[in-house]
Amino acid sequence: MRYIQVIVILILLVLGSWYIFAKSGVSSEEAITSISKSFNQKKNQLSSKTIPEDRQYKVDLDGDLYQWIGNSVEELTESFGKPERKDLSAYGYVWWVYTDKNEQYIQFGIQDNTILTVYATGNNLSAEPIQIGQVYDKINKRFEFENRVTYSTGISSYSFQLDKNEIKMRPLTKIGENVFVQCYFDTFTNKLSSIRVMTGDVLLKHRPYAMEYRGDLPDQPELNSEQWDKVESGMEQQIFDITNVIRKQFDKKVLKWNDNVSEVAFLHSEDMAKHNYFSHYSQNGDGLKERLAANEVYYFRAGENIAAQYPDAPAAMEGWLNSKGHREALLNADYTDLGVGVYQLYYTQNFVQQP
């Protein structure tokens, strides 16, 4: 057994309901440029890395993803090179995004030159002793998912409460003194869809589960309008990227980014947030058809996915994947273009089929 000790205060607060609503899909964008080094080369570099003695894990996890928590930007750059882009998050850290021709997708959350969280999905992506695509029962035997995950530090203690649906779709397990793994499962196939590794502080800021606690709770970061613009733009691109990775996993054609459709999607997310409603229909009664027409978008077929109050883009994507209506949109073979619009924590995907 190896131990990791990363000292970060962990707290988690209840995040109310997670809302999702679905229709058929619509949207597109150009395939993203692959990074200069192949992921196979990076995987070899990752596998050769060792974990410092002062950050070894309580459980025997040798996969590439786990060892990055607590590592530096310099170590990441040495192995992965420069990221495709850097996206500001709503939680104080910056996502360094790496992707490889819609096959694999990894985000490293970095703050103060230190990696605090990793989100990863895609084909042939290993997180030993588990892998993307493995069935739930096999992974459950390794982690033994429970409905209660506890953490204590000093005089403070925290207990995260997972309901039956959460244990099935996004169970949580503790693998170190301050390191947690969130496994996202595709409940339609019963297979692992993606994985998130994070410190307790990141888990606290996301607040994805109900919690009982004794101690102090930290304040959430407050963002100004300029910062929100950057966060929203990053999440839009993340949703586009992950959508195409998911479609590639199911042998569906990659969608193109569509600026006009994205504007329609953004305006709907903004309208829902500012007027405190959640619906495919605007308060004036207009639906997707009318909104696309107003922006002179021509198409053969169109559809829409909306979501609200997910902590970030990867979480919203996993929610859509596990909802029948959203899933049909994500995997519809007819769509050619995708437009994504995010306003704070309101998310809209518009899919269209164009000539």
Side-chain angles (χ1 to χ4, degrees):
M1 294 289 185
R2 296 179 297 180
Y3 294 81
I4 180 170
Q5 297 178 343
V6 182
I7 302 175
V8 182
I9 298 175
L10 173 63
I11 314 170
L12 184 62
L13 189 61
V14 179
L15 171 71
S17 300
W18 283 23
Y19 301 101
I20 52 177
F21 198 89
K23 220 177 174 180
S24 53
V26 40
S27 188
S28 84
E29 173 172 337
E30 297 180 355
I32 46 186
T33 304
S34 62
I35 51 182
S36 58
K37 296 181 180 179
S38 73
F39 264 58
N40 286 334
Q41 291 174 324
K42 294 170 185 173
K43 182 175 180 180
N44 291 335
Q45 291 171 322
L46 285 170
S47 299
S48 66
K49 288 178 62 62
T50 58
I51 305 173
E53 289 295 329
D54 63 343
R55 288 194 287 104
Q56 291 184 347
Y57 292 106
K58 278 190 170 182
V59 292
D60 188 13
L61 296 174
D62 296 323
D64 302 339
L65 296 182
Y66 312 107
Q67 63 183 306
W68 282 104
I69 301 300
N71 278 13
S72 68
V73 167
E74 289 75 20
E75 291 172 294
L76 178 62
T77 304
E78 180 181 355
S79 290
F80 267 52
K82 294 182 179 180
E84 180 177 317
R85 65 177 189 277
K86 298 177 183 179
D87 297 338
L88 181 64
S89 79
Y91 304 100
Y93 54 83
V94 175
W95 287 116
W96 284 34
V97 179
Y98 296 85
T99 186
D100 184 37
K101 297 180 180 178
N102 303 303
E103 292 284 349
Q104 293 183 342
Y105 180 87
I106 306 179
Q107 298 182 181
F108 294 89
I110 297 171
Q111 186 173 19
D112 298 329
N113 201 48
T114 302
I115 299 172
L116 303 181
T117 182
V118 183
Y119 170 83
T121 187
N123 295 322
N124 304 315
L125 191 133
S126 175
E128 296 298 336
I130 64 176
Q131 291 183 347
I132 301 298
Q134 279 186 333
V135 297
Y136 183 97
D137 289 345
K138 186 172 184 178
I139 297 176
N140 191 25
K141 286 181 180 179
R142 182 64 186 84
F143 286 136
E144 298 181 350
F145 299 129
E146 298 179 349
N147 63 2
R148 182 184 178 92
V149 179
T150 62
Y151 173 78
S152 297
T153 177
I155 62 172
S156 300
S157 62
Y158 312 90
S159 176
F160 313 118
Q161 314 292 327
L162 284 71
D163 61 32
K164 291 181 179 180
N165 289 332
E166 289 169 335
I167 293 176
K168 182 179 180 181
M169 175 185 162
R170 49 188 180 93
L172 179 72
T173 188
K174 181 181 177 184
I175 64 171
E177 291 297 329
N178 189 37
V179 181
F180 294 81
V181 173
Q182 195 174 32
C183 294
Y184 290 104
F185 286 93
D186 179 342
T187 56
F188 287 81
T189 63
N190 208 35
K191 294 179 180 180
L192 185 67
S193 171
S194 65
I195 186 171
R196 192 194 298 257
V197 187
M198 56 196 151
T199 66
D201 187 57
V202 172
L203 182 61
L204 153 71
K205 291 178 180 178
H206 284 201
R207 303 177 182 178
Y209 307 103
M211 184 190 67
E212 295 178 357
Y213 67 93
R214 182 184 64 202
D216 296 327
L217 293 174
D219 295 330
Q220 289 282 45
E222 294 186 7
L223 305 181
N224 58 37
S225 59
E226 182 179 352
Q227 290 170 323
W228 268 118
D229 286 343
K230 293 179 180 179
V231 171
E232 292 158 1
S233 178
M235 289 199 291
E236 289 169 355
Q237 185 64 50
Q238 292 161 29
I239 287 173
F240 172 74
D241 290 345
I242 297 171
T243 295
N244 277 328
V245 170
I246 291 174
R247 288 177 65 88
K248 194 72 176 289
Q249 288 175 313
F250 286 89
D251 297 320
K252 306 298 181 182
K253 62 186 176 185
V254 170
L255 301 177
K256 297 177 297 180
W257 179 266
N258 189 305
D259 284 331
N260 290 335
V261 178
S262 294
E263 183 179 359
V264 173
F266 175 79
L267 291 174
H268 188 55
S269 290
E270 181 183 42
D271 192 55
M272 288 190 293
K274 289 186 174 181
H275 295 95
N276 194 29
Y277 74 95
F278 187 75
S279 173
H280 286 287
Y281 293 93
S282 304
Q283 290 185 312
N284 64 0
D286 286 350
L288 177 59
K289 178 180 178 180
E290 290 76 19
R291 292 194 292 272
L292 289 173
N295 216 42
E296 298 183 347
V297 176
Y298 304 100
Y299 57 92
F300 294 139
R301 184 178 181 181
E304 181 173 74
N305 287 343
I306 60 175
Q309 303 309 320
Y310 282 90
D312 62 11
M317 284 299 308
E318 295 296 336
W320 282 331
L321 183 64
N322 280 281
S323 170
K324 187 176 183 297
H326 295 88
R327 185 185 186 87
E328 291 174 353
L330 289 173
L331 302 180
N332 190 299
D334 295 330
Y335 292 132
T336 60
D337 290 47
L338 174 62
V340 183
V342 177
Y343 184 83
Q344 297 190 7
L345 297 184
Y346 282 77
Y347 310 85
T348 299
Q349 277 186 313
N350 286 338
F351 301 84
V352 296
Q353 178 187 4
Q354 291 190 330

